[in-house]
Amino acid sequence: RLVAQAVRQAARADSERLADLAVVAVDSLAASERAALVSARRISPELAAGGPHRYALLGESGNLSVFVNEEDHVRVHALTVGNEPLL
């Protein structure tokens, strides 16, 4: 719970780069919504399995995802093309 709170607060505090991430409480999603996010490679199957205090912070463009309380406390997935800056 504390890790999830700290990550959400940190994302909100970085208003220049991270504040626009959508915070998704995995447990609140329907199974079909979880499956759609896994299919789109926005969240992992492990995160989709759910559990208390599991969150995904998702960038609108799909290039940034932060998993909270999946296998690790925090996992960041960042994708970019070539030498373009991610944020």
Side-chain angles (χ1 to χ4, degrees), residues 12-54:
R12 280 193 305 268
D14 189 344
S15 61
E16 184 179 327
R17 296 177 293 184
L18 302 177
D20 66 337
L21 294 177
V23 177
V24 178
V26 176
D27 276 351
S28 69
L29 298 174
S32 61
E33 293 171 310
R34 292 181 196 193
L37 287 171
V38 170
S39 178
R41 297 183 180 234
R42 299 298 307 274
I43 66 172
S44 69
E46 292 81 10
L47 189 67
H53 311 293
R54 288 191 176 194

Side-chain angles (χ1 to χ4, degrees), residues 32-86:
S32 61
E33 293 171 310
R34 292 181 196 193
L37 287 171
V38 170
S39 178
R41 297 183 180 234
R42 299 298 307 274
I43 66 172
S44 69
E46 292 81 10
L47 189 67
H53 311 293
R54 288 191 176 194
Y55 290 87
L57 285 75
L58 304 173
E60 187 175 311
S61 66
N63 66 344
L64 181 63
S65 299
V66 179
F67 301 166
V68 180
N69 295 325
E70 181 211 27
E71 292 178 24
D72 304 316
H73 289 303
V74 178
R75 180 175 294 186
V76 178
H77 289 261
L79 304 171
T80 187
V81 175
N83 292 326
E84 296 178 24
L86 179 61

